[in-house]
Amino acid sequence: MRLRPVNLSLRSWQSLARAVLTLAFVGLPAASMADEEVKLSPAQAQTLGVRVVHPVSSRTDQTLPYPAQIVIPTPQLWVVSAPVAGMVASLSVARGDRVDSGRPLVTLESPSFVSLQRDYLHAFAQDVLAAQQLKRNTDLFEGKAVPQRVLETSQAEARQASIALAERRQMLRLSGFSDDAIARLTSETAITATVSVAAPQQATVVEIVVSPGQRVEQAAPLVKLARLSALWAEIAIPASSIRAIRPGAKVEIDGYATPGHVVLVSETTDAASQTILVRAEVPNTGELRPGQTAAVRISFLSSGESAWEIPYAALVRRGDNASVFVATESGFRLVPTTLLAEDQDHVVVAGGITDKDEVAVSGISALRGILLRLGASE
C-alpha cells in the first residue's frame, strides 16, 4: 500500500508543531497545580515563541491615562427666565461674557408688566384709603359716635388692603423690580413698559436662548449662566478596573498643574460600553474650559503595593482574577496580580512582581496549555 503525501498550509504546520511540543512536554518533570509553574528550558521557551519584558513602575501609582470630558457642575449652572410675558427688545451680553451681580442681561417690552404696575398702584391707593377710614372710625368709636361693629369692619378692610398691597409688591419684585424702583413708582406713579432682567450673581454667560424681536412667555428661558470656579471631569472607567478607584482619590489632568479629586464613583454600569462613570472635581484657574476633552490619571488610594505597567498581552485572565507568567530559573511561574487599570495596549497591576522580574508577553497560550496539561496529569 502506497502512502500519498499530504499538502499542509503554513498555519497547519504551526498547529501541528505546537501539538507535538505540548505532547513532548508531558514527559518533563511536572509541578503540582498549586505551584502554578511550568518547567521549560530556554531552548524550549524559544521554540514556543515566548518573549519576556521587565515591568515598568507605574507613574506614582496612578492609572493609565483615561479620556475625560470637562463639564460644568450642575449646582453651578442656572437659567435666567422671563419674569413676565413680552418681546425681547435688546440683549446686553453675549456668550462667554463674564457678568457681575445686577448687570442687565435682557430688556423686555411687556404689556403685562404695565398691568402689574397699575395693579400695584391701585392696591397702594386702596391701602391708604383703608388706613384713613380705620383711623377715622377708631376716633369715632372712642367718642362713642359709631358702634363697635363699624370699627371691626374697618379693621378687616384695612387688613385685606394691606395683604393685597403686599401681594402686588411681591409680583413686582418677581418681575425684576428692585425696592428702590418700587419706591420711585409709588412716589412718581411713572409706569414703564420695559423690564430689565439682571444677573442674580457673578457668573459667565454660557448660552443665549433668545434673540431680539422674539416673543416669550412668562418663565421662558432667556440666558444660561454658570460659575466656572470649579469644574467636573467625567471619566468612563472599564468595569474591570473600577476596584482600584475610590472617592477622594487624587486626579491629575495632563498639561494642567492643579490636581482635583474623585467625588463620585457611579453605582451603575453603562450596558453598551461596560464602563462606570467616575466624576472628579477640579479647581479651575482659567485653563480648563467646559466641553473640552483631556487625559486624566487617577491615584490608587486602596493599593498598598507598588503598581507596575506591562503590555496587555501579558495578562492571563481567569474570570475576575488576573495573573502573569514570571520567568524562573527552571521555567515560568503563574503569579496572581490585582488589575488596577487597562487600555488597549497596556495594563497596570499590583502584586508579587518587581521591575527585576521578566514577564512573558508572547507564547502565553502555549504556557497556559502546558500548565493545564500538567494539572491534568496530577
Side-chain angles (χ1 to χ4, degrees), residues 132-291:
Q132 292 174 347
Q133 185 65 38
L134 176 61
K135 184 178 183 307
R136 184 182 301 110
N137 286 337
T138 300
D139 293 341
L140 291 175
F141 175 75
E142 291 177 352
K144 302 185 183 300
V146 295
Q148 183 175 356
R149 61 180 177 80
V150 173
L151 176 62
E152 292 174 348
T153 300
S154 295
Q155 289 174 336
E157 290 175 349
R159 179 63 177 169
Q160 290 296 326
S162 177
I163 293 172
L165 178 61
E167 177 190 6
R168 296 302 175 182
R169 182 181 290 112
Q170 284 299 107
M171 293 293 290
L172 283 179
R173 285 173 177 162
L174 290 174
S175 66
F177 246 40
S178 65
D179 289 339
D180 291 340
I182 293 174
R184 284 196 302 271
L185 174 64
T186 304
S187 60
E188 301 174 7
T189 64
I191 296 178
T192 178
T194 60
V195 55
S196 179
V197 183
Q201 56 184 289
Q202 189 179 50
T204 298
V205 178
V206 296
E207 185 179 353
I208 304 292
V209 185
V210 295
S211 57
Q214 180 178 340
R215 294 189 177 275
V216 295
E217 297 298 325
Q218 185 178 13
L222 302 175
V223 179
K224 290 184 180 179
L225 301 176
R227 291 195 311 273
L228 305 181
S229 55
L231 295 174
W232 282 347
E234 295 193 337
I235 315 149
I237 304 294
S240 59
S241 303
I242 202 65
R243 286 176 294 180
I245 299 172
R246 297 289 183 270
K250 182 180 178 181
V251 175
E252 293 187 6
I253 299 178
D254 288 356
Y256 186 69
T258 307
H261 64 280
V262 173
V263 295
L264 170 73
V265 178
S266 177
E267 297 180 355
T268 60
T269 302
D270 184 88
S273 63
Q274 287 299 295
T275 58
I276 296 174
L277 173 66
V278 172
R279 180 178 295 137
E281 184 173 288
V282 184
N284 185 21
T285 59
E287 298 178 31
L288 290 178
R289 290 171 175 80

